[in-house]
Amino acid sequence: MKTADIRRTYLEFFENRGHTLVPSAPLVYNDPTLLFVNAGMVPFKPYFVGDEVAPFNRAVSSQKCVRTLDIEEVGKTTRHGTFFQMLGNFSFGDYFKQGAIEYAWELVTTPQAEGGFGFDPEKIWTTVLTDDDEAFEMWRACGVPAEHIQRRGLKDNYWNMGVPGPGGPCSEIYIDRGPEFGPEGGPEADEDRFLEIWNLVFQTQDLSAVRSKTDFDVAGDLPKKNIDTGAGLERIALLLQGKNNMYEIDEVWPVIARAAELAGKTYGADHEDDVRLRVVGDHIRSSLMLMSDGVAPGNEARGYVLRRLLRRAIRAMRLLGVHDEVLPELLPISRNLMSESWPEVVSNWKRISEVGYAEEAAFRRTLTSGTQIFDVAVKKAKEAGEDSLSGAAAFQLHDTYGFPIDLTLEMAEEQGLQVDRKAFGTLMQEQRERAKADARAKKGGLVNTEAYRELRAAGETPFTGYSELAGQTKVRGMLLDGRPVTTAKAGDVLELVLDETPFYAESGGQDADRGIISGSGLHAEVLDVQRPVAGLVVHTVRVGEGELALRQRVDAYVDSDYRFGARQAHSATHLVHAALRELVGPTAVQAGSYNKPGYLRFDFNANQALSKDLQQAVEGRTMEAINDDLEVSTSMMSLTDAKAAGAMAMFGEKYPERVRVIEMGGPWSLELCGGTHVSHTSQVGLVSMSGESSIGSGVRRVEFLVGPQAFDHFAAERQLVLGLAEALKTQPDQLADRVARMSEQLKAAEKELAAYRTKELLGNVGALVDKAAQIGATTLVAESAPGVAAADLRTLAMEIRARLGERAGVVALVGGSDKPAVVVATTAAARDLGLSAGDLIRVACTELGGKGGGKPDLAQGGGTDATRVPEALAAVREAVTKVDAGR
C-alpha cells in the first residue's frame, strides 16, 4: 500500500464508525510549550485538560509532526525521523478501552481488500500495563495468544504529558518483522524486530504533579474517561511495503535515489554514504513540510530548526561529493511525493522554493567563507598540540559566519577534535544578555498553568470591550507570585481575574489595553492583560490605593485614548498587509505582527529587500486606502465560509468554528481577526514607514508610525529640512541638488588627497624596504598604512615586492579606515620556501575579524576590527617564522 493509501484507509475506517474527521493542525501551533506539533494529540490537548469542551464525542485525524531531539540519530537507525505523520482516533467520554482495542484489532487484521491493513494476526504482539488485567483479557478476546501479550511497567506503558493533567495506562501494538531482524521474545527482547506501530492510551487519572515517567502524583479520577491513540504512518508503511526502514518508503525513497544518482553512489554499498543519503531524504521532506506551514530559516527557535535541517541536508550532499546546488533537484521530488496527502505543498510552492533556494545560496556562501576560518582554527589547534577548538573560535564561526554550532561540532569531529562547548555557551549567553529582549518573548516564558486552569474551570472570561470601555464586574480570582490569595494591599503587583472584562488581552499582534480598576477606596492600575490559557483573561495590576478582595465588586475603565491608538495601529496593519500583497505579490504572507498606539511592525515572507521605490509605493497605497475612507466591517461566520470567501488566516493560530472577519474595501483586505479596529479607515489618520529590514532568511519586516506619531515624525523631518536649507543657504526644494554637489566635491577632494598620499607612500618604498625585518632567509615588510584604499594598497605592495628583487620576500600591508583592508604579496623565492600569500592573508584577516583569499603570489581581504591591526601584522610575522623554522 502507498503511504497515502494507508492514511486514507485509516481515516475512512474511523469516519465510517462515527468519528469526526479533524484536519491536521499546522506544524506551527499556538502552544507556548512547543516549537512544533510533536504528537497527534496536541490539537486535542485543550479538550483533554479541560480548558475547552470538545465539539465532538469522537474524532480521527492524520497529524503532521516534527521532532528534532534525536536529530543526530537520523539515518543511523530505523526509528528516528524528524517529520512524521501520526494517525489517531480519539474518544471524549464516549467509547473506552474495549472500543479502542476492538477498533484497532479490526483495522490492523482486516484484509486490505476489505478496508483494513491486512497484518497477519500471528505476527501481532501487544503490551499492557503490569496490572491491567482488563486490557489483557480484551486482547485475549480479540484472539491474541496470551504468550503474545506482555506486561510492562510505568516507563513503557503509562502515558502522561509531562506536566499536570490527564494520564493513564496504555497498550501498544507491535509487529514481528522476523528472525532476520533480531532475537525471539517479543517487544521485551528486541524493539527493532518487534516494531511498535500503535499506542492506545486510556486516560483515566488527573495528575497533580509529574516528576518523571514513573514518578507522579494522582489527584483523582477524570470526570470522563478518554481515548487517545497514535499510530505511526511511516512505520506502518515500511512494514506494508516490505522495506527495512522508514527512509525507504514511497514518500522518501525517490529523494534518496536521486541524491545517490547526483553523487554517483550506490545505496547499500557503504554505511557512511547510506547514513548521509538517509539524512538527505528525511531532512528534505521535513524542510518542505515546515516551509509549507510558513516557517522561514532563521537563527532562533523554529527558524533555527529549519535552517539546521536544510544545512545538514546540503552538507550531507557535499560530503557525498556534490558541490552544485541540490535543492532545485530534490525539493520538487519531495513536493510531488507529498502532494497527494498534503496539497498545500503545491499551492505554497512558489514561496517554499524561493525560501529554500535562497537559504541554500546563503549557506553555500557561508561554507565558502567560514570553512576557510575553520581550517585556520583547526591548523592552529593541531600545531599547538590541542585536542579541541576553542569556544571563541566556535563562537566566531557562529556569530560572524553563520555556522550553526552543530555543524562546527560535526566538522571538528571529522578532524578528530572536540569543541569547548562550555566556553561557547558562555559567549552565547553573554551575547543574549546584551541583546534587547523582545517584549513578547518576555511575556511568553513557560509558566505553570495549574493555577490558571483552576480559575478557568469556573468558566471563561467574557470580553465586553468590543462595545464598551467601562463596566462593573466582580473579582473572581487573584494570584500573587503565582499563588492564589484572597486579598491584596497597596503596593502589590498581582494577577487579577474578573467575572467579565472590557480590557483587551494581547493577541493577534495587538497590544493589551491599559486602564484602571476602582472601587470603594480602591485605585489599581492595569499594566498588562494576557490569556495564559484559552478562555481566561488575566490582568496584571498594581494596587495604588485601598485593598482588593475576592468577590469584591469593582469598576473597570479602559484608557480610551490608548485603545483608540491601538485600534488605529491594528487597522493600519491590515491595510499594510493588503498593500504588500497587492504590490509585492500573494507570497507576501504575514509571518508575525505587533501593534500598539502610534506604532506597528509587520513581518512577511519575502526573499529580497523592498526597494526604496517599492517602500514608497506601499506607504502610498496604504495612505490611499486611508484617504478613501473605507468602511471597516465586522461579521461572524463559520470558519469554512470565511476561508471560502478568501479571508486571510495566520499560520499556527487556532480558530473556533465561528470566526470574526474584518473587511476593509471588500476582498482587498479580508482577514480573520479578534482585535479591535476603527470604524472607517480615515480614522487611522497618517502612516509613515520608519524602517524595512530582514529578520531572518526569507522574512522581511516593515515598521510604521501611525496617527499622531506619524505626524510628529513628518513635522520633525520638515524642521530638519528647513534647518539644513538655512545652514546651506539654499531653498528646501533645491536641498537635494546642493547636497549632491557637495558630496561630489568632497569625493573629488578625497580622491585627490588619496592620490597625494599614494604618491607619498610610493616615494617611501625604499625606506620601507630598508626597514624590513629579516626572518631567517625571508625578508618581511609588514606595515600599517592607515587611510590607504585597497586599490592603492595593492599597487604599493606590488611596488615593494618588485624592489625586493630576487630575495625571498613577503609584503603584508594593512590600510583602510574603520574597516581594515589587507594585501599580502610574495616573491617567487618566498614561494619556493613554502610561503603563500593566500595562506598569510587568512591569518591576518582572522585576527581582524574578517576574511580574505587569493593566489600564492598575491592575495587581499578585509576585516571589521581596526583596533587589531598590530595583532594582524604580528600574526603574519609568526606564520612566516613558523614556516622558516619548519624548513
Side-chain angles (χ1 to χ4, degrees):
M1 291 179 77
K2 290 170 52 182
T3 303
D5 292 334
I6 297 170
R7 177 178 182 270
R8 186 180 304 110
T9 296
Y10 187 96
L11 297 177
E12 289 178 353
F13 177 90
F14 283 102
E15 271 196 288
N16 292 337
R17 287 154 181 79
H19 291 66
T20 299
L21 176 60
V22 178
S24 172
L27 287 166
V28 179
Y29 197 62
N30 62 338
D31 186 328
T33 67
L34 298 174
L35 273 181
F36 303 110
V37 172
N38 61 0
M41 60 77 62
V42 168
F44 303 98
K45 194 166 91 171
Y47 310 142
F48 288 137
V49 301
D51 286 346
E52 299 178 28
V53 177
F56 29 66
N57 291 330
R58 49 177 71 182
V60 62
S61 71
S62 172
Q63 175 62 48
K64 298 179 284 189
C65 302
V66 164
R67 292 180 188 167
T68 57
L69 290 177
D70 298 320
I71 191 170
E72 287 81 8
E73 299 303 314
V74 170
K76 300 177 183 177
T77 74
T78 63
R79 293 186 291 165
H80 290 95
T82 49
F83 172 82
F84 60 97
Q85 300 159 86
M86 187 63 75
L87 305 170
N89 57 288
F90 308 89
S91 167
F92 307 96
D94 190 1
Y95 63 86
F96 190 53
K97 193 177 295 185
Q98 182 169 350
I101 289 174
E102 290 177 350
Y103 280 145
W105 179 258
E106 181 183 0
L107 176 57
V108 168
T109 59
T110 296
Q112 293 179 14
E114 299 174 19
F117 291 151
F119 283 107
D120 182 351
E122 294 185 1
K123 294 183 177 181
I124 296 175
W125 290 63
T126 64
T127 63
V128 298
L129 188 62
T130 305
D131 57 357
D132 193 349
D133 297 331
E134 188 178 36
F136 187 97
E137 293 304 324
M138 289 175 180
W139 284 118
R140 288 282 293 113
C142 288
V144 182
E147 60 270 21
H148 278 202
I149 308 173
Q150 294 186 330
R151 298 177 184 267
R152 306 181 81 174
L154 292 173
K155 181 180 178 181
D156 296 297
N157 278 73
Y158 190 95
W159 175 92
N160 64 66
M161 297 191 302
V163 296
C170 61
S171 180
E172 297 168 320
I173 301 174
Y174 292 79
I175 304 297
D176 182 0
R177 304 170 73 191
E180 64 270 30
F181 289 96
E184 299 280 356
E188 279 281 88
D190 190 290
E191 290 198 11
D192 280 329
R193 170 176 173 173
F194 299 89
L195 189 65
E196 178 200 338
I197 63 167
W198 203 345
N199 186 16
L200 315 178
V201 179
F202 314 128
Q203 291 187 10
T204 57
Q205 296 176 316
D206 183 17
L207 308 186
S208 57
V210 178
R211 292 171 289 276
S212 71
K213 281 276 288 182
T214 60
D215 183 14
F216 48 82
D217 296 332
V218 179
D221 293 334
L222 292 172
K224 291 183 179 180
K225 295 179 178 180
N226 305 317
I227 288 296
D228 160 25
T229 84
L233 178 55
E234 283 76 11
R235 292 191 181 187
I236 296 173
L238 78 88
L239 292 169
L240 294 183
Q241 293 172 16
K243 303 301 181 182
N244 289 329
N245 56 63
M246 61 183 291
Y247 310 104
E248 297 172 14
I249 65 173
D250 61 313
E251 287 189 347
V252 182
W253 171 251
V255 174
I256 293 176
R258 180 56 179 152
E261 183 181 355
L262 290 171
K265 303 287 185 179
T266 299
Y267 185 79
D270 180 87
H271 174 70
E272 284 194 8
D273 286 347
D274 288 352
V275 170
R276 289 164 182 160
L277 287 167
R278 291 195 286 263
V279 166
V280 172
D282 173 86
H283 287 9
I284 290 292
R285 184 170 77 141
S286 300
S287 299
L288 170 79
M289 300 308 295
L290 285 170
M291 290 186 289
S292 76
D293 274 358
V295 182
N299 290 328
E300 297 291 340
R302 298 179 176 111
Y304 178 76
V305 172
L306 173 59
R307 171 163 286 167
R308 187 180 181 193
L309 291 170
L310 284 169
R311 293 188 172 192
R312 278 175 60 89
I314 294 164
R315 187 161 184 275
M317 289 299 291
R318 290 175 73 91
L319 292 174
L320 289 164
V322 182
H323 293 272
D324 295 330
E325 293 181 344
V326 296
L327 291 188
E329 289 281 350
L330 303 178
L331 260 184
I333 297 174
S334 190
R335 172 202 62 197
N336 296 341
L337 296 171
M338 301 303 294
S339 61
E340 184 174 351
S341 294
W342 311 104
E344 59 264 33
V345 300
V346 175
S347 59
N348 295 333
W349 176 247
K350 186 175 188 297
R351 175 171 47 80
I352 293 169
S353 57
E354 287 178 354
V355 169
Y357 299 164
E359 177 64 15
E360 179 169 23
F363 186 47
R364 285 166 62 84
R365 293 192 296 270
T366 291
L367 281 173
T368 300
S369 57
T371 301
Q372 294 175 351
I373 306 302
F374 175 82
D375 291 342
V376 171
V378 168
K379 185 177 179 182
K380 283 185 176 181
K382 289 186 174 180
E383 287 175 348
E386 298 172 353
D387 60 0
S388 67
L389 286 181
S390 69
F395 180 75
Q396 182 191 19
L397 284 164
H398 169 83
D399 194 47
T400 306
Y401 300 97
F403 263 45
I405 183 60
D406 61 283
L407 177 58
T408 302
L409 289 169
E410 288 180 9
M411 293 174 64
E413 185 179 359
E414 291 163 7
Q415 295 289 334
L417 297 174
Q418 301 295 316
V419 174
D420 188 343
R421 289 296 303 273
K422 184 177 180 181
F424 173 82
T426 299
L427 290 168
M428 284 294 295
Q429 184 60 34
E430 289 174 355
Q431 184 191 58
R432 292 189 188 101
E433 290 172 356
R434 288 193 300 268
K436 182 179 179 181
D438 184 275
R440 286 180 64 83
K442 288 180 180 177
K443 297 171 183 174
L446 301 184
V447 295
N448 187 341
T449 62
E450 184 66 23
Y452 299 136
R453 287 173 49 209
E454 290 178 4
L455 289 168
R456 176 64 178 83
E460 67 178 60
T461 311
F463 173 60
T464 61
Y466 288 134
S467 58
E468 60 184 39
L469 297 181
Q472 194 172 77
T473 182
K474 283 185 178 181
V475 176
R476 182 198 297 176
M478 298 187 296
L479 301 174
L480 187 62
D481 296 327
R483 297 187 301 274
V485 294
T486 57
T487 61
K489 63 183 184 303
D492 286 342
V493 176
L494 69 154
E495 293 177 297
L496 185 69
V497 176
L498 303 173
D499 278 351
E500 60 181 29
T501 182
F503 287 94
Y504 183 81
E506 180 180 351
S507 61
Q510 182 176 329
D511 197 23
D513 278 336
R514 303 291 185 269
I516 61 172
I517 292 175
S518 64
S520 178
L522 169 71
H523 184 280
E525 181 184 2
V526 177
L527 306 175
D528 191 19
V529 191
Q530 296 290 322
R531 280 193 176 90
V533 297
L536 186 73
V537 176
V538 177
H539 312 71
T540 300
V541 303
R542 179 189 291 116
V543 181
E545 299 175 8
E547 290 189 354
L548 262 173
L550 201 62
R551 302 313 303 161
Q552 178 180 351
R553 186 169 293 279
V554 295
D555 295 310
Y557 298 96
V558 175
D559 184 327
S560 58
D561 291 339
Y562 197 90
R563 167 69 77 82
F564 183 70
R567 289 165 56 201
Q568 286 180 305
H570 199 159
S571 295
T573 303
H574 284 224
L575 298 177
V576 169
H577 189 189
L580 283 166
R581 287 178 57 79
E582 178 182 308
L583 297 170
V584 178
T587 59
V589 178
Q590 181 174 354
S593 69
Y594 175 68
N595 49 80
K596 63 179 182 178
Y599 169 83
L600 74 86
R601 70 168 184 246
F602 186 82
D603 304 335
F604 61 99
N605 293 316
N607 289 313
Q608 58 186 15
L610 300 184
S611 66
K612 294 296 183 183
D613 288 344
L614 193 50
Q615 290 180 39
Q616 186 173 346
V618 170
E619 183 182 72
R621 183 67 183 94
T622 304
M623 277 305 308
E624 181 182 335
I626 291 171
N627 292 333
D628 285 344
D629 194 28
L630 304 174
E631 181 182 0
V632 180
S633 63
T634 302
S635 58
M636 298 295 296
M637 61 181 72
S638 71
L639 180 60
T640 301
D641 289 344
K643 289 182 175 180
M648 297 293 296
M650 269 289 288
F651 280 118
E653 286 294 324
K654 181 183 178 183
Y655 295 99
E657 283 305 307
R658 298 285 295 173
V659 292
R660 189 167 179 262
V661 180
I662 304 298
E663 179 180 334
M664 304 178 189
W668 183 71
S669 175
L670 193 68
E671 298 193 33
L672 305 184
C673 180
T676 65
H677 291 273
V678 297
S679 58
H680 286 79
T681 57
S682 61
Q683 293 176 310
V684 172
L686 287 173
V687 295
S688 172
M689 186 182 291
S690 57
E692 193 274 351
S693 60
S694 169
I695 61 166
S697 179
V699 182
R700 306 293 302 182
R701 169 173 291 174
V702 290
E703 297 175 272
F704 282 78
L705 298 175
V706 183
Q709 284 79 357
F711 175 81
D712 291 343
H713 175 69
F714 285 130
E717 286 195 336
R718 181 179 61 186
Q719 288 302 114
L720 177 63
V721 169
L722 291 174
L724 286 172
E726 183 178 354
L728 297 177
K729 301 189 184 307
T730 188
Q731 295 299 312
D733 59 352
Q734 298 172 1
L735 186 60
D737 291 339
R738 179 79 174 96
V739 171
R741 287 197 303 273
M742 291 178 64
S743 179
E744 290 174 3
Q745 292 167 356
L746 181 60
K747 287 178 181 177
E750 289 175 343
K751 187 175 182 181
E752 186 177 356
L753 181 61
Y756 279 121
R757 186 182 294 118
T758 302
K759 184 177 180 181
E760 181 183 3
L761 286 169
L762 290 174
N764 291 331
V765 166
L768 292 173
V769 172
D770 290 341
K771 62 182 291 192
Q774 196 66 32
I775 301 175
T778 305
T779 301
L780 172 64
V781 177
E783 296 290 340
S784 170
V788 178
D792 293 333
L793 206 64
R794 181 187 178 102
T795 301
L796 180 59
M798 290 191 292
E799 182 67 24
I800 295 173
R801 181 178 63 181
R803 292 287 186 95
L804 292 174
E806 301 298 322
R807 283 183 277 179
V810 173
V811 183
L813 303 177
V814 182
S817 52
D818 293 338
K819 291 187 176 181
V822 191
V823 173
V824 176
T826 60
T827 65
R831 295 192 291 278
D832 290 341
L833 296 177
L835 291 162
S836 167
D839 292 340
L840 295 173
I841 197 74
R842 284 190 282 273
V843 170
C845 291
T846 298
E847 292 291 340
L848 296 169
K851 57 185 178 179
K855 298 179 179 178
D857 63 326
L858 185 67
Q860 64 186 64
T864 59
D865 188 354
T867 66
R868 293 190 61 79
V869 171
E871 287 82 357
L873 294 173
V876 173
R877 292 189 193 98
E878 182 182 351
V880 172
T881 302
K882 285 184 178 180
V883 171
D884 181 76
R887 287 191 299 110

